[in-house]
Amino acid sequence: MPQLHPPRRAAVLVPIITVAGHNHAVFIERSQAVPVHQGDMAFPGGRHHPERDQSLWATALREAEEEIGLPAADVELLYALPEVRTFSSNYVISPFVGRIAKPCEFRPDPREVARVVTLSVAALRDPRAHRTVRRRLSSGAEIDAPAFVVDSHVVWGATQRITVELLRVLP
């Protein structure tokens, strides 16, 4: 189905922390108060506002600070991943991987974030984490989608596609 409007721009930060010598990716679980994708796993991020963001990287940093209280000065850019297009909401997302070098206490904004979840890169790479799950789209249609399932956390959709690229580039 062709899109009637050009896609909107967005950016996300894929925060990486080291716990006991192992890399972990920081996800958010979206709150029930957001208009779409309630309860879904995502990376901190959002819509690019060119009037206040000098770049998409600046968007990712601003959104991470707003959503989880992560100071931009504490993030070191590691990689810019390939853009990901959303199918239902017509966004083109620019993902950026950033290392958080020092300990940080996340402060999730309850309007947007139910909780912050860290998943080990090793668990995401485990073949048992790679599954197909049935999901309901905002349109009401149900689909079978590729996903990462770690403990009770299901990562699917654009976040799953970004995570695939993360695992490709992260040692």
Side-chain angles (χ1 to χ4, degrees), residues 42-166:
F43 292 113
R47 190 168 183 181
H48 176 63
H49 296 284
E51 66 280 359
R52 66 177 161 171
D53 299 328
Q54 292 183 359
S55 65
L56 289 161
W57 168 239
T59 299
L61 292 174
R62 175 183 54 76
E63 288 283 345
E65 188 155 2
E66 290 174 4
E67 291 181 1
I68 63 172
L70 177 61
D74 291 352
V75 182
E76 173 195 0
L77 176 62
L78 296 178
Y79 307 102
L81 298 177
E83 292 179 338
V84 172
R85 180 126 188 205
T86 61
F87 300 119
S88 59
S89 55
N90 196 28
Y91 274 97
V92 173
I93 303 168
S94 295
F96 297 92
V97 180
R99 177 161 309 280
I100 305 169
K102 63 183 187 179
C104 175
E105 183 177 328
F106 298 115
R107 295 179 320 280
D109 178 344
R111 294 170 299 183
E112 297 187 62
V113 179
R115 64 185 167 150
V116 176
V117 176
T118 60
L119 300 178
S120 78
V121 170
L124 292 165
R125 282 197 169 112
D126 186 329
R128 294 171 293 185
H130 302 226
R131 310 225 185 114
T132 299
V133 297
R134 180 154 288 260
R135 292 315 235 195
R136 183 177 306 276
L137 301 176
S138 55
S139 67
E142 289 191 354
I143 63 165
D144 289 328
F148 293 96
V149 180
V150 177
D151 300 323
S152 62
H153 308 293
V154 179
V155 178
W156 74 288
T159 305
Q160 183 269 348
R161 295 192 309 277
I162 293 168
T163 303
V164 166
E165 290 300 320
L166 170 70

Side-chain angles (χ1 to χ4, degrees), residues 21-43:
H22 300 282
N23 284 330
H24 288 65
V26 178
F27 294 83
I28 60 170
E29 180 182 308
R30 292 174 55 84
S31 80
Q32 295 300 315
V34 294
V36 293
H37 306 296
Q38 299 93 344
D40 281 357
M41 298 292 287
F43 292 113

